[in-house]
């Protein structure tokens, strides 16, 4: 059921982070699935900054040129690999992304796209990991909120290493459809907000430069 | 002279040299003064062991000066000589003319008239190439800017002797006696234009032969593989030029100097230097002993007042003239002092000119004897005067004027002293300056210093091994000393000096290779940096990436490799002399590196996403 275009196209920035691309299975499949989609920029942070010397100005310029920022990474230690944290610390400066005058990201969208080792049922109050994925991703949720952004529901590939090649291909394909839908304006991001997420006060979609 | 007389004479001179030089060195006086003193002691005035043959010996030994100038020429490439042209013909000309006028004018007090005074002035304007160059070479100051100035003046003096020999007879024309023709040259009978032609031809011959003929000849001689023949050929060149220059009435020293310059960029330079060095040293030693033996103490005893006053006045006037000139040519305080004191004596060539002028009737009465004594004593005093400058005056400059002359603010309380500001030290300086750290840079390459100054760096010319200079640079207050000297022995020496005198300084030392690193680690230095290790690691990383290795993987690989290699370096340092142990350690290290990287590839410790299987109960 192809709905007519109801929203504007989005320019999508994928910030991919995997310290050992050779050993990744899900992450490589996800990145490959996005190849060739117009309006999608993929940046491999570990390749760009092997010495962690992240260049804030470059990153900020690129952020301004996009509407949707996707943090795509394995779910290490219930969080992101180190370079994602470094990227947040360096790039999201006070007065630029948050704090007085820090409105450069307001009106944009943030999403995480992760692959986990544990099965979906582990991420439950009664499960082995005791918290839901949403609970564990709370820091990213609040980061988006502080920056005046809309936080979208995470895309999760569970038990990435246990999946058959076919299942993995299916997962990668649905990831591609989601991102392409955002990029081509086929999917309305406001209908994809994370569960229970309230848009920051005065949120208004601002188009990329 | 019978063979036994010759051997006895040689025995005396050699014994005097062998005994006096170590004593003088032990006393910190320098070998020149030792030789002069030894000569005075064995000479006719004291022990009388050597007698009238002293003059002949001196002439023979003057050949040492000629060999020395050949060696100086070898060190001076044509382009470098060209850079000195202003100093040679500006500073040199003014030194000769200025000193001749000042000393000549003062000598009117005791001379018979202006002609005699002018002759005296010209004779005394010259300085002793042998003493000055030998002393400066011993101290390693010959290649400093002030050393180059001094050398330029000496070179011009050597050149100026030829016109002097031509000019002095003209001066004598009107005086009572017609002078004997002292020119020994074969071409004296020819008209002036022909003489000029011969002279230019001779110099041209030296230059052209040096450029095009010597090299193939050297190659043939070197191919014989017989060292003696090479030495003989080197001596043959010097003797040949000396005779050729004698034929056309040119200074032999000048001729051999030019030949040296022509050969300076030849591949045989170092071999020539090594082979001729002993001849130069030995001949000069004998020359200095002969000068010492020639000091006539009876003359000193007969007229001590006149001689003492003349000597003092001569030295003071020369000092004053040189001070003025050095200032005029923009030398700084300490260099002005060095320059003035270095040249404040008479020349061995003065003896020749005295005889020449006496023959012309330009010098009358006791004047030749007085001048001879003044020159000889001033030569004896020269090493003492240079020592006075070095030990008494230079430290004062270092305390006060020297620093103020440049940039006092940047010095006081500098954080870092950088010794050696070549391509290695310069980068370090730039980083530290970028962080606002105050640096004092010491470098021994004068052209490098000048260039860097033009680019706005605060760089100072000086030998970092000199304790007074280190103190002046603020070694007591500084926190860190970076040693990046381009000479491994000197770097090691500086480490020792710094650890002994400034134990609070943190030493960061550039080393050349593994063995140099071993030396310094055992010297107690923790921070050693192999000069090309870092860049080879950078290249290795890029090579890995070019082979498709992920940048972060490549980064981690070189970081870990580097850490393992640094560890090996430090464990090996303790066994630097035990080759089998070193091989053992290297093997162990290779095994360790292989193990670490194999583990990284998948076997043992693995990244979180590999270990986090849902059925692995031991992981979170």
């Amino acid at each position: 059921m192809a709905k007519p275009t109801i929203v504007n196209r989005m320019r999508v920035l994928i910030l991919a982070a995997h310290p050992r691309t050779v050993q990744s299975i899900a992450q490589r499949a996800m990145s490959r699935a996005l190849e060739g989609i117009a309006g999608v920029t993929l940046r491999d942070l570990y390749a760009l900054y092997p010495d962690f010397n992240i260049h804030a100005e470059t990153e900020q310029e690129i952020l301004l040129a996009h509407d949707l920022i996707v943090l795509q990474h394995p779910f290490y230690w219930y969080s992101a690999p180190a370079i994602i944290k470094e990227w947040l610390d360096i790039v999201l400066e006070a007065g630029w992304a948050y704090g007085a005058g820090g409105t450069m990201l307001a009106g944009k969208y943030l999403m995480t796209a992760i692959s986990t080792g544990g099965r979906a049922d582990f991420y439950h109050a009664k499960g082995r990991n005791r918290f839901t994925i949403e609970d564990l991703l709370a820091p990213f949720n609040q980061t988006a909120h502080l920056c005046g952004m809309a936080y979208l529901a995470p895309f999760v590939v569970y038990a990435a290493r246990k999946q058959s090649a076919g299942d993995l291909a299916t997962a990668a394909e649905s990831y591609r459809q989601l991102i392409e839908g955002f990029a081509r304006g086929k999917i309305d991001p406001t209908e994809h907000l994370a569960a229970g997420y309230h848009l920051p006060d005065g949120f208004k979609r601002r188009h990329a430069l | 002279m019978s063979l036994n007389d010759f051997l006895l004479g040689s025995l005396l001179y050699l014994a005097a040299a062998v005994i006096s030089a170590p004593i003088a060195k032990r006393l910190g006086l320098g070998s020149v003064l030792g030789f002069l003193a030894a000569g005075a002691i064995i000479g006719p005035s004291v022990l009388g062991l050597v007698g009238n043959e002293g003059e002949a010996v001196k002439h023979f030994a003057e050949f040492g000066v000629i060999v020395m100038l050949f060696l100086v020429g070898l060190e001076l490439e044509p382009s470098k000589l060209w850079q000195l042209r202003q100093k040679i013909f500006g500073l040199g000309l003014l030194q000769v003319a200025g000193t001749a006028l000042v000393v000549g004018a003062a000598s009117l007090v005791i001379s018979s008239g202006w002609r005699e005074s002018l002759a005296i002035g010209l004779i005394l304007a010259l300085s002793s190439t042998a003493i000055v160059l030998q002393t400066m070479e011993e101290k390693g100051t010959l290649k400093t800017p002030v050393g180059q100035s001094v050398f330029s003046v000496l070179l011009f003096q050597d050149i100026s002797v030829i016109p002097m020999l031509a000019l002095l007879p003209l001066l004598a024309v009107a005086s009572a006696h017609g002078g004997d023709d002292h020119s020994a040259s074969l071409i004296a009978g020819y008209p002036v234009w022909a003489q000029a032609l011969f002279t230019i031809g001779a110099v041209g011959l030296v230059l052209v032969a040096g450029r095009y003929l010597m090299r193939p000849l050297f190659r043939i001689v070197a191919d014989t593989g017989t060292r003696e023949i090479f030495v003989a050929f080197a001596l043959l060149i010097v003797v040949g030029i000396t005779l050729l220059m004698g034929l056309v009435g040119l200074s032999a020293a000048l001729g051999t100097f030019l030949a040296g310059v022509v050969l300076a960029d030849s591949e045989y330079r170092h071999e020539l230097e090594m082979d001729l060095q002993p001849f130069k040293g030995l001949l000069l030693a004998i020359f200095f002993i002969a000068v010492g033996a020639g000091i006539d103490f009876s003359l000193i005893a007969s007229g001590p007042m006149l001689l003492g006053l003349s000597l003092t006045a001569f030295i003071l006037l020369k000092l004053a003239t040189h001070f003025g000139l050095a200032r005029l040519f923009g030398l700084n305080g300490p260099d002005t002092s060095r320059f003035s004191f270095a040249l404040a004596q008479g020349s061995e060539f003065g003896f020749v000119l005295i005889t020449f002028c006496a023959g012309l009737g330009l010098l009358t009465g006791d004047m030749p004897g007085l001048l001879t004594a003044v020159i000889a004593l001033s030569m004896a005093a020269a090493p003492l005067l240079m020592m006075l400058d070095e030990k008494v005056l230079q430290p004062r400059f270092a305390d006060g004027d020297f620093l103020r002359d440049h940039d006092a603010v940047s010095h006081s309380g500098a954080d870092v002293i950088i010794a050696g500001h070549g391509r290695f030290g310069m980068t370090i300086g730039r980083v530290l300056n970028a962080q606002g750290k105050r640096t004092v840079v010491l470098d021994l390459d004068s052209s490098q210093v000048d260039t860097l100054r033009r680019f706005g760096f605060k760089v100072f010319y000086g030998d970092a091994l000199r304790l007074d200079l280190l103190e002046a640079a603020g070694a007591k207050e500084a926190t860190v000393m970076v040693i990046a000297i381009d000479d491994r022995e000197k770097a090691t020496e500086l480490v020792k000096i710094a650890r002994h005198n400034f134990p609070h300084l943190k030493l960061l030392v550039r080393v050349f290779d593994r063995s140099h690193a071993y030396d310094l680690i055992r010297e107690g230095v923790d921070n050693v940096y192999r000069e090309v290790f870092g860049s080879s690691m950078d290249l290795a990383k890029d090579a890995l990436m070019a082979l498709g290795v992920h940048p972060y993987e490549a980064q981690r690989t070189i970081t870990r490799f580097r850490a393992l290699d640094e560890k090996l370096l430090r464990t090996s340092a303790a066994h630097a002399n035990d080759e089998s142990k070193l091989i053992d350690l290297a093997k162990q290290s290779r095994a360790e590196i292989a193990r670490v990287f194999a583990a990284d590839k998948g076997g043992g410790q693995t990244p979180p996403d590999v270990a986090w299987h849902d059925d692995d109960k031991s992981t979170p």
Side-chain angles (χ1 to χ4, degrees), chain B residues 93-399:
Chain B
L93 177 68
L94 283 177
Q95 188 276 337
V96 173
T99 318
L101 286 178
V102 171
V103 174
S107 74
L108 281 171
V109 180
I110 52 166
S111 79
S112 64
W114 70 271
R115 292 172 199 281
E116 185 171 24
S117 280
L118 187 54
I120 294 171
L122 287 172
I123 291 168
L124 292 183
L126 305 178
S127 309
S128 170
T129 308
I131 290 179
V132 179
L133 289 193
Q134 180 68 18
T135 309
M136 292 192 104
E137 197 175 53
E138 255 174 46
K139 288 186 191 149
T141 48
L142 198 55
K143 284 186 177 170
T144 64
V146 63
Q148 302 273 287
S149 296
V150 169
F151 172 74
S152 301
V153 168
L154 290 170
L155 193 63
F156 183 83
Q157 290 181 355
D158 239 10
I159 299 169
S160 70
V161 169
I162 301 139
M164 274 190 206
L165 287 172
L167 185 83
L168 286 167
L170 299 180
L171 201 60
V173 168
S175 57
H177 312 270
D180 303 334
D181 192 355
H182 263 71
S183 172
S185 85
L186 277 182
I187 58 170
Y190 292 89
V192 177
W193 63 267
Q195 287 190 26
L197 218 60
F198 279 124
T199 310
I200 294 168
V203 174
L205 183 66
V206 169
L207 294 179
V208 172
R211 188 100 213 137
Y212 300 104
L213 194 64
M214 301 272 206
R215 277 191 196 183
L217 282 177
F218 267 120
R219 199 163 302 130
I220 293 167
V221 170
D223 282 346
T224 64
T226 318
R227 195 187 158 97
E228 288 75 15
I229 296 181
F230 194 88
V231 176
F233 186 57
L235 281 174
L236 184 69
I237 291 170
V238 178
V239 173
I241 292 169
T242 307
L243 282 175
L244 178 69
M245 291 294 129
L247 285 181
V248 296
L250 271 182
S251 150
L254 186 69
T256 47
F257 169 74
L258 285 178
V261 172
V262 173
L263 287 171
D265 50 3
S266 101
E267 56 272 44
Y268 299 105
R269 189 186 106 188
H270 289 293
E271 204 143 7
L272 278 170
E273 278 177 354
M274 271 167 41
D275 287 346
L276 289 178
Q277 205 72 35
F279 289 98
K280 179 208 84 171
L282 201 57
L283 287 168
L284 276 185
I286 295 171
F287 172 73
F288 291 132
I289 293 173
V291 170
I295 298 174
D296 188 351
F297 286 91
S298 66
L299 193 82
I300 301 173
S302 66
M305 273 299 278
L306 180 63
L307 182 59
L309 282 175
S310 305
L311 181 65
T312 316
F314 164 60
I315 291 174
L316 287 178
L317 286 172
K318 225 170 175 181
L319 279 176
T321 316
H322 295 161
F323 258 96
L325 279 175
R327 277 302 185 188
L328 193 68
F329 274 75
L331 269 68
N332 63 25
D335 279 355
T336 298
S337 182
R338 285 193 194 103
F339 175 83
S340 307
F341 277 90
L343 292 169
Q345 76 290 111
S347 161
E348 52 274 6
F349 213 83
F351 298 129
V352 180
L353 285 180
I354 289 169
T355 323
F356 183 64
C357 289
L360 290 171
L362 271 172
L363 299 176
T364 52
D366 292 336
M367 197 55 83
L370 179 66
L371 286 181
T372 306
V374 164
I375 292 179
L377 288 176
S378 73
M379 283 166 82
L384 291 170
L385 282 172
M386 283 190 253
M387 209 183 311
L388 172 78
D389 168 59
E390 189 188 345
K391 296 267 147 69
V392 180
L393 295 178
Q394 293 298 333
R396 299 196 177 192
F397 284 117
D399 287 344

Side-chain angles (χ1 to χ4, degrees), chain B residues 93 258 273 331 410 442 482 526 533 568 576 612:
Chain B
L93 177 68
L258 285 178
E273 278 177 354
L331 269 68
S410 73
L442 302 172
V482 174
D526 293 326
F533 190 59
L568 172 66
W612 286 26

